Amino acid sequence: MKKETRTWKPNLFVVGFSKCGSSALCDYLNQHEDIFVIKPKEPGTLFLEDNSTTWETGAIGKKAMDHWKKRFLMPYTEYKTSFSRVKNKIYLVDGSQSYSRGGEKIAKRIFHFNNEAKIIFIIRDHEERLISAFNYFYQFHKKDNLQEYIHQNLFPDLDKFLFLKHLQEYLDVFGSKAVLVVEAKRLNL
């Protein structure tokens, strides 16, 4: 492949999953001379409906909407500008692992946005991931009891925590040749 970008649109998405090492993977990828990873690595822009400023509330719920919109969502114009400035790179990376929780609707949106895109899922042992999430989010939940944390925070959204359903949604949309699954332990984190 030539060292030029045919379009400004990202062609590689690191979409999953939280607390599995997507930041480390994006850091590794960004060290390669032919790869550009947007900053911040999780713009979340494709949660926007039809590339406008309408928030896709169904993907993460209305309560989280305002928080995410203010803190984590990069507007489409800024997203396009950030990638448009990049020259001489083969892969343009959007590392929004939150896309994995958006279901088939977000998978289809990414496919419609760039049907030649490749998808990377990074997965991790569920127990290690759970402990990592507990420790990371402790600043918000302040629970000293892991079991209580699991029942109050994990069980209500268990389908968003598990891998298989989300992997299948992306495989159904993109096909197996466009989806790569990487185990976090292979990255030596």
Side-chain angles (χ1 to χ4, degrees):
M1 185 179 241
K2 293 195 294 188
K3 256 194 177 184
E4 62 183 63
T5 305
R6 291 182 294 226
T7 177
W8 69 266
K9 294 180 177 182
N11 55 3
L12 181 60
F13 291 84
V14 178
V15 299
F17 290 90
S18 64
K19 309 315 299 167
C20 286
S22 62
S23 294
L25 178 58
C26 284
D27 287 345
Y28 292 155
L29 291 171
N30 204 36
Q31 293 175 32
H32 195 284
E33 65 182 29
D34 292 334
I35 299 174
F36 169 79
V37 178
I38 193 169
K39 301 241 185 295
K41 73 122 178 137
E42 295 185 42
T45 304
L46 297 182
F47 271 117
L48 293 172
E49 189 84 51
D50 300 326
N51 304 325
S52 68
T53 56
T54 305
W55 180 256
E56 176 54 54
T57 57
I60 64 168
K62 187 160 179 56
K63 183 177 179 183
M65 174 182 69
D66 290 333
H67 174 74
W68 273 68
K69 194 171 184 180
K70 290 176 187 172
R71 293 197 57 212
F72 300 112
L73 190 65
M74 181 182 288
Y76 185 80
T77 53
E78 184 179 340
Y79 186 74
K80 183 176 181 179
T81 300
S82 296
F83 282 114
S84 295
R85 292 180 181 148
V86 178
K87 304 294 181 218
N88 300 320
K89 300 289 183 179
I90 295 172
Y91 290 102
L92 303 178
V93 180
D94 177 336
S96 299
Q97 58 79 18
S98 57
Y99 293 156
S100 66
R101 295 186 308 273
E104 183 181 9
K105 187 172 188 176
I106 297 300
K108 286 181 177 179
R109 185 171 299 151
I110 293 170
F111 186 81
H112 178 71
F113 177 75
N114 184 351
N115 63 3
E116 295 182 4
K118 305 294 183 200
I119 306 295
I120 297 177
F121 277 96
I122 184 162
I123 61 173
R124 182 179 186 184
D125 174 82
H126 281 304
E127 186 176 319
E128 291 174 7
R129 183 174 173 223
L130 177 61
I131 292 168
S132 177
F134 175 79
N135 290 331
Y136 178 80
F137 290 111
Y138 182 81
Q139 61 188 319
F140 304 110
H141 64 72
K142 305 287 189 203
K143 292 176 181 31
D144 292 322
N145 184 310
L146 179 60
Q147 187 173 5
E148 181 183 339
Y149 170 79
I150 291 169
H151 284 284
Q152 289 182 359
N153 298 285
L154 180 61
F155 283 165
D157 289 322
L158 188 59
D159 68 315
K160 292 179 179 154
F161 188 80
L162 302 175
F163 303 136
L164 188 57
K165 174 185 173 196
H166 304 294
L167 286 170
Q168 191 61 55
E169 291 167 338
Y170 277 81
L171 285 167
D172 290 346
V173 173
F174 283 90
S176 61
K177 291 185 178 182
V179 177
L180 175 68
V181 178
V182 177
E183 290 182 88
K185 66 183 176 184
R186 295 188 55 133
L187 297 178
N188 296 320
L189 300 175

